[in-house]
Amino acid sequence: MFASRPAVHPVEAPPLADAAENPLGVRMKDVQGMPGTPGGLALRLVQFAFAVAALGVMTSTSDFPSVTAFCSLVAAAILQGLWSISLAFLDVYALLVRRCLRNRRALCWFTIGDGITATLTFASACASAGITVLISNDLNLCSENHCTSFETAAAMAFIGWFAVSPSFLLNLWSLACR
């Protein structure tokens, strides 16, 4: 039988990439908006800004403690602000030291925290908007209350929820892809 024998041909290794071109810890699938990216930092800062705005507008009125929905909006805005600013600091640290924040345990915590804060913020904004509509349209008591401030605080909470939703969805997507 005249079968050919395999020949061994050495293959040259490709040249090593320069560390400046390919820094360690940076992956090609860095989607902006995920933890440790500039987009993620921007989302966290927007979340913090709107949570502080909702908190400031709501607490500037004197009669917000009389309604439970408004108190829940204040509590949700405080939680959202603390969560967002702490993760913004973590994003700044990750960007400065070029550290990847997408390991399974961190993503799990980010996803759970974003889910809880998003749910609380949305529920509180909906309840506050409902009470505001009741006061302004159904009871016609805007002359005695601060309807404009209540509407503004609810709007700021909704915008804060719109900012936390992409963070939650990107973290959930990244966690599910692992």
Side-chain angles (χ1 to χ4, degrees), residues 1 8 20 22 39 45 64 72 82 88 95 103 125 135 139 143 172 174:
M1 176 174 220
V8 177
N22 251 343
L45 292 176
F64 87 89
S72 71
L82 291 174
L95 288 171
N103 62 35
I135 291 171
L139 300 177
S143 60
L172 185 65
S174 180

Side-chain angles (χ1 to χ4, degrees), residues 58 60-67 70 135 144-147 150:
M58 188 58 82
S60 68
T61 64
S62 59
D63 53 349
F64 87 89
S66 62
V67 179
F70 298 153
I135 291 171
E144 301 169 18
N145 292 303
H146 301 94
C147 288
F150 296 151

Side-chain angles (χ1 to χ4, degrees), residues 3 7 11 74 90 96 101 121 131 160 177:
V11 177
V74 168
L90 191 61
L96 289 176
L101 291 178
T121 302
I131 294 297
C177 289

